Amino acid sequence: MLENPSSQLDTSARGARDADSVMAEHAAPRIEAQNARSRREFVGLAAASLAGAAIAGYGQPSRGAETESQGRPVASDLGPQSKSLDARNPDSYVPPASDHGEVQSFWNSFSVSHRRIQTGGWTRQVNVNDFPIAKEMAGVNMRLTAGGIRELHWHSAAEWALMLSGNARLTTFDFEHRPFVGDVAEGDLWYFPAGQPHSIQGLGPDGCEFLLVFDDGKFSEGDTTLLTDWALHTPREVLGKDWSVSQAALSGISGLPPEGKYIFQGKIPGTLADDKKAAAHSRKLSPEAFTFRLQNTLPAKKTGSGEVRIADSTNFTIATNIAVAWVKVKPGGLRELHWHPNSDEWQYYLQGKGRMTVFFNAGKARTADFGPSDVGYVPRTLGHYIENTGTTDLIFLELFKAQRYQDFSLSDWITHTPPELILDHLPIDQKTLDGIPRSDFAVVPP
């Protein structure tokens, strides 16, 4: 999903000026406290050098040469090399000196996932089988052609979704047995609770692509209950009796694929009004809001360096078990050091380039680089940050298996603790402590 430019102006000018003025007030002492040669500058230069070298056919230093990382000599790699991967992951190839210990990987990508291709679209997934650290949530990336149908089905896990591109029509049947039919466009969300039957169909002119996130790390798209699969594997006489039709009328069911249709090509549906009328018959349509326009919400936090928009059960009431933060960080900006107390964090990177260090406690930390279609994961309560290392806006999602979005800011915490206690812990002086912002800005400047 790309950001909606018009929606970026819907926060109050006064609030933005206030946040920016406070940030400016504290910027000078923070900059003075920085080292002359920051790690960020090094990674930016290293990434640029590696990327440039990869284009030229040289993905890393020449054999026999040494590089430096924060003043440390780094021996060259004399063995077989994947130049493109080294260039793509500079903080794994030359990690910062602060990284330490053996840490489970918290990086994955849909780009390295198997695609299941069918008439009408394709799908690929990242779950705990491919990404062992991601125990609480799994993700699916799906594409449907115009008229392509993700067939009527349901899951044992709740489904949260973001429309990445295009348009789709959704149908569902709520727990009071009332039908729902609705259209979604780029940037829209939807949510179906566990066990609730639904379908998705691509609309014109070119169908759609979307992200699905499920509140179970073991979830697999290959293990969902499909209408066609169930019908095929029910005796014809039982199905005929249940539906009050003849077995002869059901003879075509025997020709269904052995595991159901799953994704298949259909006709582009008619008008939304006609489909609503046809679904309702004599019943009322569901009053539940299964869809949500995230970009129409005001940013929960905004500075000159970025913003955060939140959708959880407080404003998207049907989403009782998955909360999300949509985050934009401008070049050089930082999604500040923070942690989440109520859930693991499953991330999806929409655009730009960034890096994240996760502190795993007990002297263990690891840094990884992220780009479009990548997935990140941070176990509950572990401290981390996300830094924009590119030249364009970094946009990503933070998803949580929780009713409410919650986080704690490191700078906000230590500036609202008695200063003597902080100075007893850290080898800094009062001037440095006074220069740390006393607000939870979420996104801070370079």
Side-chain angles (χ1 to χ4, degrees), residues 3 18 28 74 134 213 238 245 286 292-293 301 304 318 344 353 359 364 399 405-406 444:
E3 61 186 294
D18 289 347
V74 179
V213 179
V238 173
V245 299
S286 175
F292 185 79
R293 297 190 181 280
K301 300 172 185 179
I318 194 71
D344 291 4
K353 293 170 58 179
F359 175 58
K364 294 180 291 185
L399 291 119
Y405 173 86
Q406 294 179 350
V444 297

PDB file of all heavy atoms in Angstrom, residues 3 18 28 74 134 213 238 245 286 292-293 301 304 318 344 353 359 364 399 405-406 444:
ATOM      1  N   GLU A   3       0.950   5.379   0.497  1.00  0.00           N
ATOM      2  CA  GLU A   3       0.187   6.301   1.295  1.00  0.00           C
ATOM      3  C   GLU A   3      -0.750   7.124   0.434  1.00  0.00           C
ATOM      4  O   GLU A   3      -0.522   7.348  -0.746  1.00  0.00           O
ATOM      5  CB  GLU A   3       1.122   7.222   2.070  1.00  0.00           C
ATOM      6  CG  GLU A   3       2.010   8.063   1.165  1.00  0.00           C
ATOM      7  CD  GLU A   3       3.024   8.848   1.947  1.00  0.00           C
ATOM      8  OE1 GLU A   3       2.639   9.736   2.700  1.00  0.00           O
ATOM      9  OE2 GLU A   3       4.203   8.554   1.763  1.00  0.00           O
ATOM     10  N   ASP A  18       3.361  21.931  17.384  1.00  0.00           N
ATOM     11  CA  ASP A  18       3.770  21.737  18.776  1.00  0.00           C
ATOM     12  C   ASP A  18       4.781  20.608  18.889  1.00  0.00           C
ATOM     13  O   ASP A  18       5.799  20.725  19.570  1.00  0.00           O
ATOM     14  CB  ASP A  18       2.540  21.421  19.643  1.00  0.00           C
ATOM     15  CG  ASP A  18       1.636  22.642  19.821  1.00  0.00           C
ATOM     16  OD1 ASP A  18       2.094  23.761  19.487  1.00  0.00           O
ATOM     17  OD2 ASP A  18       0.501  22.471  20.281  1.00  0.00           O
ATOM     18  N   ALA A  28      19.344  19.957  19.636  1.00  0.00           N
ATOM     19  CA  ALA A  28      20.743  20.390  19.736  1.00  0.00           C
ATOM     20  C   ALA A  28      21.549  19.578  20.739  1.00  0.00           C
ATOM     21  O   ALA A  28      22.611  19.057  20.405  1.00  0.00           O
ATOM     22  CB  ALA A  28      20.803  21.881  20.068  1.00  0.00           C
ATOM     23  N   VAL A  74      37.747  -5.758   9.923  1.00  0.00           N
ATOM     24  CA  VAL A  74      36.874  -6.869   9.523  1.00  0.00           C
ATOM     25  C   VAL A  74      37.564  -7.618   8.401  1.00  0.00           C
ATOM     26  O   VAL A  74      37.789  -7.077   7.326  1.00  0.00           O
ATOM     27  CB  VAL A  74      35.500  -6.354   9.057  1.00  0.00           C
ATOM     28  CG1 VAL A  74      34.624  -7.535   8.628  1.00  0.00           C
ATOM     29  CG2 VAL A  74      34.811  -5.558  10.160  1.00  0.00           C
ATOM     30  N   ALA A 134       8.179 -16.653  14.546  1.00  0.00           N
ATOM     31  CA  ALA A 134       6.849 -16.035  14.447  1.00  0.00           C
ATOM     32  C   ALA A 134       5.771 -16.996  14.934  1.00  0.00           C
ATOM     33  O   ALA A 134       5.020 -17.569  14.144  1.00  0.00           O
ATOM     34  CB  ALA A 134       6.580 -15.597  13.011  1.00  0.00           C
ATOM     35  N   VAL A 213      -3.255 -11.293   7.496  1.00  0.00           N
ATOM     36  CA  VAL A 213      -2.515 -11.670   8.700  1.00  0.00           C
ATOM     37  C   VAL A 213      -3.471 -12.434   9.615  1.00  0.00           C
ATOM     38  O   VAL A 213      -4.618 -12.012   9.823  1.00  0.00           O
ATOM     39  CB  VAL A 213      -1.945 -10.434   9.417  1.00  0.00           C
ATOM     40  CG1 VAL A 213      -1.204 -10.846  10.698  1.00  0.00           C
ATOM     41  CG2 VAL A 213      -0.998  -9.662   8.493  1.00  0.00           C
ATOM     42  N   VAL A 238     -26.424 -37.681   1.264  1.00  0.00           N
ATOM     43  CA  VAL A 238     -26.497 -36.822   2.448  1.00  0.00           C
ATOM     44  C   VAL A 238     -26.623 -35.351   2.034  1.00  0.00           C
ATOM     45  O   VAL A 238     -27.434 -34.599   2.587  1.00  0.00           O
ATOM     46  CB  VAL A 238     -25.248 -37.025   3.332  1.00  0.00           C
ATOM     47  CG1 VAL A 238     -25.226 -36.009   4.477  1.00  0.00           C
ATOM     48  CG2 VAL A 238     -25.222 -38.442   3.878  1.00  0.00           C
ATOM     49  N   VAL A 245     -32.628 -31.471  -2.438  1.00  0.00           N
ATOM     50  CA  VAL A 245     -32.555 -31.558  -3.897  1.00  0.00           C
ATOM     51  C   VAL A 245     -32.220 -32.999  -4.270  1.00  0.00           C
ATOM     52  O   VAL A 245     -31.784 -33.798  -3.434  1.00  0.00           O
ATOM     53  CB  VAL A 245     -31.495 -30.594  -4.483  1.00  0.00           C
ATOM     54  CG1 VAL A 245     -31.838 -29.149  -4.154  1.00  0.00           C
ATOM     55  CG2 VAL A 245     -30.096 -30.946  -3.975  1.00  0.00           C
ATOM     56  N   SER A 286     -26.218  -7.335   7.392  1.00  0.00           N
ATOM     57  CA  SER A 286     -25.487  -7.178   8.647  1.00  0.00           C
ATOM     58  C   SER A 286     -25.117  -5.712   8.886  1.00  0.00           C
ATOM     59  O   SER A 286     -24.623  -5.039   7.970  1.00  0.00           O
ATOM     60  CB  SER A 286     -24.213  -8.018   8.629  1.00  0.00           C
ATOM     61  OG  SER A 286     -23.454  -7.782   9.795  1.00  0.00           O
ATOM     62  N   PHE A 292     -12.680  -1.122   7.012  1.00  0.00           N
ATOM     63  CA  PHE A 292     -12.227   0.086   7.721  1.00  0.00           C
ATOM     64  C   PHE A 292     -11.289   0.865   6.811  1.00  0.00           C
ATOM     65  O   PHE A 292     -10.399   0.268   6.181  1.00  0.00           O
ATOM     66  CB  PHE A 292     -11.493  -0.328   8.997  1.00  0.00           C
ATOM     67  CG  PHE A 292     -11.071   0.820   9.878  1.00  0.00           C
ATOM     68  CD1 PHE A 292     -11.968   1.441  10.714  1.00  0.00           C
ATOM     69  CD2 PHE A 292      -9.747   1.257   9.872  1.00  0.00           C
ATOM     70  CE1 PHE A 292     -11.569   2.490  11.541  1.00  0.00           C
ATOM     71  CE2 PHE A 292      -9.338   2.302  10.687  1.00  0.00           C
ATOM     72  CZ  PHE A 292     -10.258   2.918  11.523  1.00  0.00           C
ATOM     73  N   ARG A 293     -11.489   2.180   6.722  1.00  0.00           N
ATOM     74  CA  ARG A 293     -10.627   3.036   5.897  1.00  0.00           C
ATOM     75  C   ARG A 293      -9.556   3.669   6.791  1.00  0.00           C
ATOM     76  O   ARG A 293      -9.757   4.722   7.389  1.00  0.00           O
ATOM     77  CB  ARG A 293     -11.470   4.094   5.179  1.00  0.00           C
ATOM     78  CG  ARG A 293     -12.472   3.489   4.214  1.00  0.00           C
ATOM     79  CD  ARG A 293     -13.140   4.530   3.322  1.00  0.00           C
ATOM     80  NE  ARG A 293     -14.116   3.917   2.429  1.00  0.00           N
ATOM     81  CZ  ARG A 293     -13.840   3.293   1.297  1.00  0.00           C
ATOM     82  NH1 ARG A 293     -12.574   3.194   0.903  1.00  0.00           N
ATOM     83  NH2 ARG A 293     -14.790   2.766   0.547  1.00  0.00           N
ATOM     84  N   LYS A 301       0.074   9.768  16.273  1.00  0.00           N
ATOM     85  CA  LYS A 301       1.302  10.492  16.612  1.00  0.00           C
ATOM     86  C   LYS A 301       1.889  11.021  15.314  1.00  0.00           C
ATOM     87  O   LYS A 301       1.911  10.313  14.304  1.00  0.00           O
ATOM     88  CB  LYS A 301       2.308   9.572  17.317  1.00  0.00           C
ATOM     89  CG  LYS A 301       1.782   8.968  18.621  1.00  0.00           C
ATOM     90  CD  LYS A 301       2.733   7.929  19.180  1.00  0.00           C
ATOM     91  CE  LYS A 301       2.136   7.259  20.413  1.00  0.00           C
ATOM     92  NZ  LYS A 301       3.029   6.216  20.964  1.00  0.00           N
ATOM     93  N   GLY A 304       7.541  16.062  12.278  1.00  0.00           N
ATOM     94  CA  GLY A 304       8.076  16.347  10.961  1.00  0.00           C
ATOM     95  C   GLY A 304       8.841  15.187  10.371  1.00  0.00           C
ATOM     96  O   GLY A 304       9.174  15.200   9.184  1.00  0.00           O
ATOM     97  N   ILE A 318     -14.807  -4.441  15.161  1.00  0.00           N
ATOM     98  CA  ILE A 318     -14.897  -5.863  14.874  1.00  0.00           C
ATOM     99  C   ILE A 318     -13.551  -6.561  15.066  1.00  0.00           C
ATOM    100  O   ILE A 318     -13.483  -7.766  15.320  1.00  0.00           O
ATOM    101  CB  ILE A 318     -15.409  -6.090  13.429  1.00  0.00           C
ATOM    102  CG1 ILE A 318     -15.832  -7.551  13.222  1.00  0.00           C
ATOM    103  CG2 ILE A 318     -14.377  -5.679  12.405  1.00  0.00           C
ATOM    104  CD1 ILE A 318     -17.098  -7.935  13.935  1.00  0.00           C
ATOM    105  N   ASP A 344       3.509 -10.117  20.795  1.00  0.00           N
ATOM    106  CA  ASP A 344       4.578 -10.122  19.799  1.00  0.00           C
ATOM    107  C   ASP A 344       4.207  -9.136  18.688  1.00  0.00           C
ATOM    108  O   ASP A 344       3.025  -8.814  18.496  1.00  0.00           O
ATOM    109  CB  ASP A 344       4.740 -11.511  19.182  1.00  0.00           C
ATOM    110  CG  ASP A 344       5.298 -12.537  20.152  1.00  0.00           C
ATOM    111  OD1 ASP A 344       5.501 -12.207  21.333  1.00  0.00           O
ATOM    112  OD2 ASP A 344       5.513 -13.691  19.719  1.00  0.00           O
ATOM    113  N   LYS A 353      13.538   1.599   2.600  1.00  0.00           N
ATOM    114  CA  LYS A 353      14.606   0.765   3.153  1.00  0.00           C
ATOM    115  C   LYS A 353      14.791   1.098   4.631  1.00  0.00           C
ATOM    116  O   LYS A 353      14.778   2.269   5.010  1.00  0.00           O
ATOM    117  CB  LYS A 353      15.916   1.021   2.413  1.00  0.00           C
ATOM    118  CG  LYS A 353      15.937   0.579   0.959  1.00  0.00           C
ATOM    119  CD  LYS A 353      17.179   1.082   0.241  1.00  0.00           C
ATOM    120  CE  LYS A 353      18.451   0.602   0.914  1.00  0.00           C
ATOM    121  NZ  LYS A 353      19.669   1.067   0.217  1.00  0.00           N
ATOM    122  N   PHE A 359      16.942  -6.155  20.731  1.00  0.00           N
ATOM    123  CA  PHE A 359      17.719  -6.521  21.916  1.00  0.00           C
ATOM    124  C   PHE A 359      17.013  -7.685  22.594  1.00  0.00           C
ATOM    125  O   PHE A 359      15.879  -7.554  23.063  1.00  0.00           O
ATOM    126  CB  PHE A 359      17.844  -5.325  22.856  1.00  0.00           C
ATOM    127  CG  PHE A 359      18.527  -5.650  24.157  1.00  0.00           C
ATOM    128  CD1 PHE A 359      19.813  -6.177  24.170  1.00  0.00           C
ATOM    129  CD2 PHE A 359      17.890  -5.446  25.368  1.00  0.00           C
ATOM    130  CE1 PHE A 359      20.441  -6.493  25.361  1.00  0.00           C
ATOM    131  CE2 PHE A 359      18.509  -5.750  26.571  1.00  0.00           C
ATOM    132  CZ  PHE A 359      19.787  -6.273  26.569  1.00  0.00           C
ATOM    133  N   LYS A 364      22.405 -10.121  24.302  1.00  0.00           N
ATOM    134  CA  LYS A 364      22.219 -10.583  22.926  1.00  0.00           C
ATOM    135  C   LYS A 364      21.445  -9.546  22.109  1.00  0.00           C
ATOM    136  O   LYS A 364      20.419  -9.040  22.561  1.00  0.00           O
ATOM    137  CB  LYS A 364      21.477 -11.909  22.901  1.00  0.00           C
ATOM    138  CG  LYS A 364      22.267 -13.064  23.514  1.00  0.00           C
ATOM    139  CD  LYS A 364      21.502 -14.365  23.474  1.00  0.00           C
ATOM    140  CE  LYS A 364      20.318 -14.371  24.410  1.00  0.00           C
ATOM    141  NZ  LYS A 364      19.633 -15.673  24.472  1.00  0.00           N
ATOM    142  N   LEU A 399       1.885  -5.248  13.501  1.00  0.00           N
ATOM    143  CA  LEU A 399       0.650  -5.961  13.823  1.00  0.00           C
ATOM    144  C   LEU A 399       0.809  -6.739  15.113  1.00  0.00           C
ATOM    145  O   LEU A 399       1.884  -7.291  15.393  1.00  0.00           O
ATOM    146  CB  LEU A 399       0.245  -6.887  12.687  1.00  0.00           C
ATOM    147  CG  LEU A 399      -0.218  -6.144  11.436  1.00  0.00           C
ATOM    148  CD1 LEU A 399       0.678  -6.469  10.265  1.00  0.00           C
ATOM    149  CD2 LEU A 399      -1.657  -6.450  11.100  1.00  0.00           C
ATOM    150  N   TYR A 405      -3.669  -1.519  20.715  1.00  0.00           N
ATOM    151  CA  TYR A 405      -2.273  -1.197  20.447  1.00  0.00           C
ATOM    152  C   TYR A 405      -1.663  -0.616  21.725  1.00  0.00           C
ATOM    153  O   TYR A 405      -2.218   0.303  22.334  1.00  0.00           O
ATOM    154  CB  TYR A 405      -2.171  -0.177  19.313  1.00  0.00           C
ATOM    155  CG  TYR A 405      -0.765   0.333  19.108  1.00  0.00           C
ATOM    156  CD1 TYR A 405       0.129  -0.349  18.296  1.00  0.00           C
ATOM    157  CD2 TYR A 405      -0.323   1.487  19.758  1.00  0.00           C
ATOM    158  CE1 TYR A 405       1.424   0.104  18.123  1.00  0.00           C
ATOM    159  CE2 TYR A 405       0.969   1.949  19.590  1.00  0.00           C
ATOM    160  CZ  TYR A 405       1.841   1.247  18.774  1.00  0.00           C
ATOM    161  OH  TYR A 405       3.123   1.697  18.611  1.00  0.00           O
ATOM    162  N   GLN A 406      -0.492  -1.129  22.122  1.00  0.00           N
ATOM    163  CA  GLN A 406       0.222  -0.613  23.294  1.00  0.00           C
ATOM    164  C   GLN A 406       1.717  -0.594  23.009  1.00  0.00           C
ATOM    165  O   GLN A 406       2.247  -1.517  22.380  1.00  0.00           O
ATOM    166  CB  GLN A 406      -0.040  -1.482  24.540  1.00  0.00           C
ATOM    167  CG  GLN A 406      -1.466  -1.464  25.038  1.00  0.00           C
ATOM    168  CD  GLN A 406      -1.657  -2.360  26.255  1.00  0.00           C
ATOM    169  OE1 GLN A 406      -0.778  -3.139  26.625  1.00  0.00           O
ATOM    170  NE2 GLN A 406      -2.818  -2.267  26.891  1.00  0.00           N
ATOM    171  N   VAL A 444      11.292   9.974  15.515  1.00  0.00           N
ATOM    172  CA  VAL A 444      12.177  11.089  15.854  1.00  0.00           C
ATOM    173  C   VAL A 444      13.093  11.389  14.671  1.00  0.00           C
ATOM    174  O   VAL A 444      13.324  10.540  13.804  1.00  0.00           O
ATOM    175  CB  VAL A 444      13.010  10.772  17.120  1.00  0.00           C
ATOM    176  CG1 VAL A 444      12.102  10.594  18.325  1.00  0.00           C
ATOM    177  CG2 VAL A 444      13.864   9.535  16.931  1.00  0.00           C
TER     178      VAL A 444
END
